[in-house]
Amino acid sequence: MKRLISIFSSVLVLAVGIVAVGPPVAGTVAAQDAGASPAGAAGQPSEKAVERSRKTVELLDNVFKQTIVMVTDKYVHDDDDFPAGSAAVLLFKKLSDSSDNTFRLIDATGDPYESDNVAKDEFEKQGIKQLKAGEKSVDEVVMQDGRAYLRALTAVPVVLDKCVMCHPHYEDAKPGEPIGAISYTVPIE
């Protein structure tokens, strides 16, 4: 258990550093910025700023998912072990509470492990539908309190047989089918 907490603490430090500095990799997801002003006009972020935030989400998504898989593979051996998904929920809460970023693990099956891990707003509800229809990720630019944010959802499929120890209802999931999503809200700078 101490090693598990140590690993997630290290990921927390890495993730906070990545969010502060920005990622060095490229990637894109489908934008849903209906009705936005031209780039940079009327308080709207430029496309370059939006793309930087997309890259941040892509990098964080890779770090988070690889960590969950690694922890599950190396430290979860039976159903009495602390699930890596539960550790991720705690990590996301700590990150969200200590920054302008929000991260949440949400269910896409209709049978969440924790009752709080469900889509809470229209973006998450519609995003889950799009992920279940085959999209790997969805995003949109929103304005909150005069500040621009990128909201994004990325699919979480079952990737290890061990996942069904805590989630027996995932046993029938088809390869690549999203059983959950990570919800991101990151500032656009």
Side-chain angles (χ1 to χ4, degrees), residues 24-41:
V25 298
T28 60
V29 290
Q32 301 171 359
D33 190 13
S37 301

Side-chain angles (χ1 to χ4, degrees), residues 9 13 16 44 80-81 101 112 123 128 142 148 162 169 188-189:
S9 295
V13 170
V16 170
Q44 290 292 323
D80 289 334
D81 291 333
N101 302 280
F123 171 75
I128 289 291
V142 298
K162 287 183 179 182
H169 58 289
I188 299 173
E189 313 261 352

Side-chain angles (χ1 to χ4, degrees), residues 90-139:
L90 293 174
L91 172 70
F92 295 164
K93 180 169 178 16
K94 288 189 178 287
L95 282 170
S96 298
D97 289 348
S98 66
S99 73
D100 289 339
N101 302 280
T102 304
F103 312 107
R104 290 186 347 98
L105 185 62
I106 59 177
D107 175 75
T109 67
D111 188 11
Y113 188 76
E114 295 289 335
S115 61
D116 197 41
N117 299 346
V118 296
K120 294 195 177 203
D121 61 26
E122 198 59 29
F123 171 75
E124 290 181 345
K125 290 173 185 174
Q126 292 303 315
I128 289 291
K129 288 179 183 176
Q130 291 176 36
L131 296 177
K132 293 195 72 71
E135 295 292 330
K136 297 297 180 207
S137 61
V138 295
D139 72 22

Side-chain angles (χ1 to χ4, degrees), residues 20-65:
V21 174
V25 298
T28 60
V29 290
Q32 301 171 359
D33 190 13
S37 301
Q44 290 292 323
S46 70
E47 189 54 39
K48 286 185 178 186
V50 173
E51 191 58 33
R52 282 192 303 272
S53 293
R54 285 185 179 127
K55 290 176 183 179
T56 297
V57 167
E58 181 182 6
L59 181 60
L60 289 171
D61 198 57
N62 189 36
V63 169
F64 292 154
K65 288 175 181 173

